[in-house]
Amino acid sequence: MSVEALLERELEHFEREHPRSRELAEEAKGPLLSGVPMPWMIRWPGGFPVFAAEAQGARFTDVDGHEYVDFCLGDTAAMTGHSPEPTVRALREQAAKGITLMLPSEDALWVGRELTRRFGLARWQFALTATDANRFAVRLARELTGRPKILVFNWCYHGSVDETVATLQDAAVVARDGNVGPPVPLDETTRVVEWNDPEALERELANGDVACVLAEPALTNIGIVLAEPGFHDALRAATRDTGTLLIIDETHTICAGAGGYTAAYGLEPDLLTIGKPIAGGIPAAAYGFSAEVAERLEALLPADERADIGGIGGTVAANVLSLAVTRATLSEVLTEQAFERMIALGERFERGVAEAIERHGLPWHVTRLGCRVEYLFRAERPRTGSEAAAGGNALLDRLIHLYALNRGILLTPFHNMALMSPATTEEDVDRHTVVFNEAARELA
Ligand SMILES: Cc1ncc(COP(=O)(O)O)c(C=O)c1O
């Protein structure tokens, strides 16, 4: 059957099976802008979003009573599985003893030490979202180096950080399509190069005006684009040679293991940022500094009453609730043993997809980083964000998401990503394999 015909069939099925979600989506147009709590929620396939009823572990149910295996897991914020017991226990206990005070608690020390043990960086600060952790890290990098610009890789995503929503157009830096309200033209703040292109990186850093490179250690937001052998060495050498700080954003690549890609592959960033799953989805994020950068910062930053007007902070950041929950989540949920299981499940998922692609002779491929797996509807693995973007197939993406949704499986929206949690089971993975096989058979 053609993709269009399949899509029509799946759309009909979706609308028929989700009357309550449809009703709520209509009602929501009253109180909510565009009928959704956040603008990107209108982009779910099916014409309206599925309204959630409740979630537990690797599953959730919707308001129409359907149960789903959740491979989206809040796009990594629920990589712990939904509402894991230790996280909920800490939440309950701490909430009864204070939520936010503007004072530190002992949990902040524990979490700082644990992050050092996992990622190697010497000192830490806390924020509520990965976006904010990136914003604060970028500002501190500019302050330290006295340089105005940052460098990012084409088709990166680091949250709604103004400087990062940039792309290359005929070698010029411009705002990404869909960027909302950029404060200044992006070429004033940002240099952009392709991932896995060390020559371009060296050329751009040679300008001497870049405070920091902000990079995921593998692109994960335009499909997964892994670093080629030697690229991380080139990145570290080029940043060191030019006095540019290297910020590694581990928000998604924590999927590589308990210490993220940084520990798994021995990276040596100057700063590191992370958010999303560290408190099981309760808003919490952290940014860390190497000993050398921490020392330079402590010498530079005002320690008097001017310290709180510098644009780094947030009244409810580092609140005692977030830190208590982070402590419980890191010590009891996102443990080394949990990652062993999750990565084995990722391998099983990858095998299932690869076998189906081969069996049906489709020109597609599958990539994995730890417990994160992604398939792309093209035969060649992309080397750069641009290649990955050009290889996207919006129609097929829509179809596969809807096909999966109609059979009780939620994939991460906007690409074909699946994430394993400590609560995910082999049966969950095999359920996806069966559904993916069926879709591949119908499409072949
Ligand atoms: C690598 C990376 N960094 C930062 C963020 C921002 O996270 P948040 O939206 O939780 O602030 C994202 C979100 O997808 C991300 O993928």
Side-chain angles (χ1 to χ4, degrees):
M1 217 189 273
S2 73
V3 178
E4 288 79 4
L6 277 172
L7 195 54
E8 200 172 315
R9 186 190 76 193
E10 295 300 320
L11 262 172
E12 264 172 36
H13 180 100
F14 178 79
E15 288 180 9
R16 199 170 54 244
E17 292 296 317
H18 297 88
R20 184 61 187 143
S21 275
R22 183 187 205 149
E23 221 169 74
L24 287 171
E26 273 308 308
E27 265 181 55
K29 289 178 185 162
L32 304 179
L33 186 72
S34 311
V36 280
M38 285 295 288
W40 42 261
M41 288 189 192
I42 53 174
R43 289 175 57 204
W44 281 100
F48 54 88
V50 163
F51 278 66
E54 48 183 89
Q56 181 62 54
R59 292 175 181 242
F60 74 97
T61 49
D62 70 12
V63 289
D64 287 294
H66 306 295
E67 190 189 58
Y68 301 83
V69 177
D70 191 355
F71 288 109
C72 166
L73 294 168
D75 194 11
T76 312
M79 195 177 94
T80 49
H82 297 289
S83 301
E85 192 276 327
T87 303
V88 173
R89 186 184 352 117
L91 182 62
R92 205 176 273 131
E93 285 174 8
Q94 182 59 48
K97 296 189 294 185
I99 294 170
T100 192
L101 288 103
M102 289 193 98
L103 291 169
S105 63
E106 282 190 35
D107 290 330
L109 276 73
W110 188 94
V111 174
R113 283 195 195 105
E114 174 64 8
L115 293 174
T116 296
R117 187 186 73 77
R118 289 184 182 228
F119 297 103
L121 287 95
R123 306 245 191 292
W124 296 87
Q125 293 278 276
F126 301 107
L128 288 181
T129 65
T131 302
D132 263 356
N134 283 329
R135 274 198 192 112
F136 299 157
V138 163
R139 291 181 81 116
L140 289 171
R142 277 199 297 253
E143 187 72 16
L144 265 184
T145 57
R147 298 177 182 177
K149 289 190 175 176
I150 78 163
L151 183 144
V152 293
F153 292 98
N154 210 8
W155 294 95
C156 69
Y157 186 72
H158 298 282
S160 54
V161 180
D162 286 319
E163 296 89 334
T164 63
V165 196
T167 190
L168 286 173
Q169 193 178 72
D170 304 327
V173 173
V174 296
R176 275 267 293 268
D177 217 17
N179 186 6
V180 175
V184 292
L186 269 292
D187 61 354
E188 288 180 21
T189 59
T190 311
R191 294 185 180 279
V192 180
V193 299
E194 293 291 351
W195 184 241
N196 282 323
D197 185 348
E199 287 80 29
L201 176 71
E202 285 158 18
R203 183 190 67 228
E204 292 300 310
L205 292 185
N207 287 292
D209 57 0
V210 175
C212 61
V213 172
L214 174 59
E216 280 193 280
L219 301 184
T220 67
N221 283 292
I222 185 74
I224 297 174
V225 189
L226 297 172
E228 292 187 330
F231 184 63
H232 273 293
D233 292 338
L235 172 58
R236 189 60 277 199
T239 43
R240 282 208 173 112
D241 289 350
T242 53
T244 311
L245 294 169
L246 176 60
I247 308 176
I248 290 290
D249 179 348
E250 288 275 12
T251 302
H252 276 186
T253 46
I254 178 81
C255 62
Y261 192 105
T262 292
Y265 294 87
L267 303 188
E268 294 176 358
D270 299 305
L271 294 92
L272 183 146
T273 58
I274 185 160
K276 292 203 186 182
I278 62 169
I282 291 293
Y287 49 115
F289 317 95
S290 69
E292 192 226 322
V293 168
E295 204 173 299
R296 283 166 63 195
L297 274 173
E298 283 165 353
L300 187 78
L301 292 178
D304 55 21
E305 56 275 11
R306 291 170 302 140
D308 63 351
I309 55 158
I312 308 286
T315 313
V316 294
N319 68 72
V320 293
L321 181 67
S322 291
L323 284 158
V325 175
T326 304
R327 178 176 183 165
T329 305
L330 293 181
S331 61
E332 296 183 63
V333 186
L334 290 179
T335 60
E336 269 89 0
Q337 298 89 303
F339 273 99
E340 261 176 47
R341 268 201 70 244
M342 290 148 72
I343 291 171
L345 288 171
E347 288 165 351
R348 187 181 183 95
F349 191 107
E350 179 187 32
R351 262 196 317 276
V353 172
E355 280 165 16
I357 290 173
E358 199 179 316
R359 178 173 312 122
H360 300 290
L362 287 159
W364 303 348
H365 77 270
V366 57
T367 308
R368 182 178 61 82
L369 179 61
C371 64
R372 178 184 304 272
V373 191
E374 173 102 27
Y375 35 90
L376 215 61
F377 300 122
R378 54 176 256 160
E380 320 80 55
R381 280 168 204 281
R383 287 184 56 249
T384 65
S386 291
E387 285 180 15
N393 183 327
L395 204 63
L396 258 183
D397 281 355
R398 240 178 114 210
L399 173 65
I400 212 83
H401 278 263
L402 211 50
Y403 199 100
L405 206 57
N406 283 340
R407 289 156 186 80
I409 288 170
L410 188 76
L411 295 167
T412 306
F414 324 136
H415 40 113
N416 309 307
M417 201 272 289
L419 198 63
M420 313 299 137
S421 76
T424 309
T425 63
E426 291 187 348
E427 293 71 49
D428 295 336
V429 170
D430 295 347
R431 179 155 157 194
H432 171 270
T433 304
V434 168
V435 169
F436 183 79
N437 248 297
E438 194 51 26
R441 187 190 60 73
E442 290 208 72
L443 281 161

